Amino acid sequence: MSALLVSVFGFFATSLMFYLNHRFVGHGPLGKWPLLHHIKRLHLIHHRNDYNENRNKHLLLPFWAKLMFITAFLLISVISLSFATGCIAYVLYYGWLHHKMHNDDQAGYCSKHHYTHHRKSAKHNFSGTMPFIDKLFGTDLKSA
Ligand SMILES: [Zn+2]
Ligand SMILES: [Zn+2]
């Protein structure tokens, strides 16, 4: 398989991992587990400050989370640098779009999808930047 295809696969595999983490850790029973409860706590703080003046303070990842991503990238890159590059590309893409959705893009398709998760139903629209994943898993709630 070409390096580019492997990167694209890493990109979408990470978006799926993000969806599963958001659904089952951020809002689900796995968020009670040791270590994972830190992720859930951070996510709930993000929900409490989603569109207020403190929102950007809670969009930034803490040091331990950045360290976790860098460690994962290094470990995965030992197996496949292309796959790891796709993974990190998704993390950066998500960080950029999520920040944009909470700041200066309220009208975009993904922004509306994410706003619905924040303000209408935290049991839907977990994918953040990839609405088709919610459609695949039946957790899509149409935006207003
Ligand atoms: Zn958000
Ligand atoms: Zn959430």
Side-chain angles (χ1 to χ4, degrees):
M1 205 184 307
S2 82
L4 180 63
L5 269 180
V6 173
S7 290
V8 170
F9 183 63
F11 186 89
F12 284 103
T14 307
S15 71
L16 178 62
M17 288 303 294
F18 174 85
Y19 170 89
L20 295 171
N21 174 63
H22 190 185
R23 181 174 176 182
F24 295 109
V25 177
H27 295 281
L30 298 183
K32 292 179 185 156
W33 288 18
L35 299 178
L36 295 181
H37 75 269
H38 294 294
I39 295 171
K40 182 173 187 148
R41 185 180 54 80
L42 275 183
H43 189 63
L44 296 180
I45 292 171
H46 167 57
H47 269 263
R48 281 196 297 274
N49 295 281
D50 50 5
Y51 297 97
N52 68 23
E53 67 280 356
N54 294 319
R55 65 191 180 278
N56 291 328
K57 253 195 282 179
H58 303 291
L59 283 174
L60 294 173
L61 290 173
F63 176 73
W64 62 265
K66 286 177 185 152
L67 198 64
M68 199 177 76
F69 279 120
I70 291 167
T71 305
F73 174 77
L74 290 174
L75 290 174
I76 295 167
S77 68
V78 171
I79 301 164
S80 169
L81 184 60
S82 300
F83 187 83
T85 301
C87 297
I88 216 73
Y90 179 76
V91 171
L92 295 173
Y93 168 71
Y94 180 84
W96 169 77
L97 190 55
H98 192 216
H99 182 275
K100 189 173 158 69
M101 292 190 298
H102 281 277
N103 283 278
D104 55 353
D105 176 19
Q106 305 298 311
Y109 178 64
C110 287
S111 293
K112 288 180 179 170
H113 180 265
H114 193 58
Y115 185 86
T116 298
H117 170 74
H118 273 281
R119 293 299 173 95
K120 289 188 179 166
S121 171
K123 293 181 179 193
H124 294 89
N125 298 9
F126 298 105
S127 64
T129 59
M130 300 278 173
F132 77 89
I133 296 177
D134 283 294
K135 287 191 171 110
L136 278 177
F137 287 98
T139 53
D140 182 61
L141 182 66
K142 245 193 164 351
S143 316

